[in-house]
Every structure is written in C-alpha cells, then in structure tokens.
Amino acid sequence: MVKISDGVDFGKVTPELLAALAEFHKTCPPISKMGTGFIRQAYSYATLDDINRTINPLLAAVGLFLTHNPTTSKMVTRIYHVGGGYMESVSTIHIDQSMKNQAHAWGSALT
C-alpha cells in the first residue's frame, strides 16, 4: 500500500514544464480499464500497463517523461521536461510485515 502523498516538491518548475503539462492534459483520453477483480461484486480497474500504454506516448510528444524510484520506505516519482524542469511526489510505502514472503510483500506494496 502506498500512502498518497507525503508531499509534492515543485523542484524546478519552468514555464516549459507547465505548458507541456497543460498540453498533455488536453490530449490525454480516458484510460481503459482492462483489469478485473471481484470483492463482493465485479469491478474493473486500469492496470499499470493500461496507464503506461496510454500516457507514455502522449508525455513523450510534449517532451515529458516519468521516473519512479523506490527507496526502502518511500516512492519518489518525478516528471521531467526535456528543457530541465521537474516536479516530484514522495509517498510512503507500507510493507505488510505479516506476509511470510517479504519479496512478495514488497512487490504488492509497489503495485
């Protein structure tokens, strides 16, 4: 489980970064929900692949890209502009210590 969000660092926000973000938001369509699940009732959700398949080409078209860097307790996500600007979000990663397989617990917490 990832807590949203411990904080946003506006890092080095540039006019080019903001213009690219605005253009991305104008062009990004709704994201398909190809994942399915069932907890008391059926539901669908956007998988990481669904999200990345939709947003990555649109981000690249306006000179943006994302990085996700996990540490032992945090996930640092940055959005960069090719002109050098960036913003980042830092979220706490909560690992389920009751799980016997800690590698599986870590993977579950990240996704």
Side-chain angles (χ1 to χ4, degrees):
M1 177 175 149
V2 178
K3 177 183 168 187
I4 310 288
S5 164
D6 289 345
V8 175
D9 175 1
F10 290 99
K12 184 181 173 190
V13 176
T14 63
E16 296 83 9
L17 170 65
L18 296 176
L21 284 170
E23 185 62 28
F24 166 77
H25 283 282
K26 285 195 293 189
T27 60
C28 189
I31 296 175
S32 300
K33 296 179 179 182
M34 303 302 290
T36 59
F38 188 88
I39 300 176
R40 289 188 289 243
Q41 65 182 34
Y43 63 92
S44 61
Y45 62 95
T47 66
L48 291 174
D49 284 341
D50 296 333
I51 296 165
N52 287 329
R53 190 175 19 259
T54 301
I55 70 169
N56 284 342
L58 299 171
L59 289 169
V62 294
L64 297 171
F65 63 96
L66 292 171
T67 62
H68 306 285
N69 299 305
T71 67
T72 56
S73 63
K74 305 276 184 188
M75 174 64 75
V76 179
T77 299
R78 274 194 178 183
I79 186 161
Y80 289 92
H81 185 261
V82 295
Y86 72 90
M87 294 170 60
E88 79 177 28
S89 174
V90 179
S91 304
T92 301
I93 301 172
H94 297 279
I95 307 295
D96 183 352
Q97 299 298 325
S98 69
M99 293 179 75
K100 290 182 182 180
N101 183 333
Q102 285 298 292
H104 185 253
W106 176 255
S108 293
L110 291 177
T111 59

